[in-house]
Amino acid sequence: MGKQKWKPGNMLYPLPAVLVTAADRQGRTNVFTVAWAGTVCTNPPMVSISVRPERFSHHMILETGEFVLNLTTERMAYAVDYCGVKSGRDVDKFQKLKLQTEPASEVGVPMIKDAPVCIECRVTEVKHLGSHDLFLAKVLAVHTEEAYLDRKGRLRLQDAGMLAYSHGEYYGLGKKLGTFGFSVRRRKTGK
């Protein structure tokens, strides 16, 4: 069976489904779902999110230049979907979903307490691309839930039941198939 040619589109899946928290200069906060988020650079640590200008949080991020990426788990799937389809103009999603927050250390934006990892970000550049604006941001701090650290202090997100988004559907991540470099690592012989 062959491949069908489709019109150009964004088919880079699966993606992390993150909850982004934002605040405006008056201190009003919002949480919304972003699947178009990614790593940009290691040194300095940078990430990006793509947001439609009509989204309620867009102006908040423009005003303050800050946001928090809150990684999500399978247990958070309902909240992730709800925050992607409901607008903060119409409902206080923190209250409606009983999402507990905690203060960030470097930005004036709340973090979501149930998120296994929260990444504090400061915008360095905004690129107006068409349907979405790309916010490039420097990572200022990362907060990890201690429950997902092993005895050596390594983060074990595989124990959190991380959530992924693929073409309109949510999935839990599957089983581990290998570790970085496993394809070239020398195998120990039974001698």
Side-chain angles (χ1 to χ4, degrees):
M1 195 173 255
K3 290 184 175 62
Q4 291 182 2
K5 181 179 178 181
W6 290 2
K7 67 179 183 173
N10 296 320
M11 294 297 294
L12 183 61
Y13 291 112
L15 301 163
V18 298
L19 289 175
V20 174
T21 47
D24 63 18
R25 287 191 183 120
Q26 290 72 41
R28 289 180 298 230
T29 60
N30 191 42
V31 56
F32 68 112
T33 302
V34 172
W36 293 0
T39 299
V40 175
C41 188
T42 301
N43 190 15
M46 294 183 72
V47 295
S48 70
I49 60 172
S50 292
V51 182
R52 290 189 320 265
E54 60 269 16
R55 294 290 299 261
F56 182 62
S57 291
H58 184 276
H59 83 277
M60 294 178 169
I61 298 170
L62 279 179
E63 278 183 26
T64 65
E66 298 176 343
F67 61 89
V68 174
L69 289 175
N70 301 273
L71 301 189
T72 61
T73 64
E74 293 174 23
R75 290 186 333 270
M76 299 171 75
Y78 182 89
V80 170
D81 185 63
Y82 188 90
C83 290
V85 296
K86 291 292 185 177
S87 174
R89 287 183 189 92
D90 305 323
V91 63
D92 180 340
K93 293 179 266 186
F94 292 109
Q95 182 181 19
K96 173 76 175 173
L97 297 168
K98 297 179 177 54
L99 289 174
Q100 295 182 348
T101 62
E102 52 192 353
S105 62
E106 304 296 323
V107 298
V109 176
M111 301 185 303
I112 296 177
K113 194 169 189 157
D114 286 339
V117 174
C118 302
I119 305 168
E120 296 185 54
C121 304
R122 180 156 298 125
V123 175
T124 60
E125 189 176 348
V126 181
K127 291 195 170 284
H128 307 287
L129 301 173
S131 64
H132 288 69
D133 286 348
L134 177 72
F135 291 92
L136 293 170
K138 187 173 180 182
V139 174
L140 303 178
V142 177
H143 303 265
T144 60
E145 179 58 51
E146 291 178 351
Y148 301 115
L149 299 178
D150 68 13
R151 290 182 191 157
K152 294 182 179 181
R154 291 180 300 215
L155 184 59
R156 298 190 44 83
L157 280 179
Q158 62 270 31
D159 297 339
M162 299 304 294
L163 188 66
Y165 178 82
S166 182
H167 202 59
E169 298 174 328
Y170 301 98
Y171 293 92
L173 295 181
K175 66 180 179 176
K176 178 173 92 174
L177 302 176
T179 58
F180 180 76
F182 83 99
S183 64
V184 296
R185 202 170 288 128
R186 289 180 56 187
R187 293 192 177 136
K188 295 181 182 179
T189 59
K191 295 180 183 178

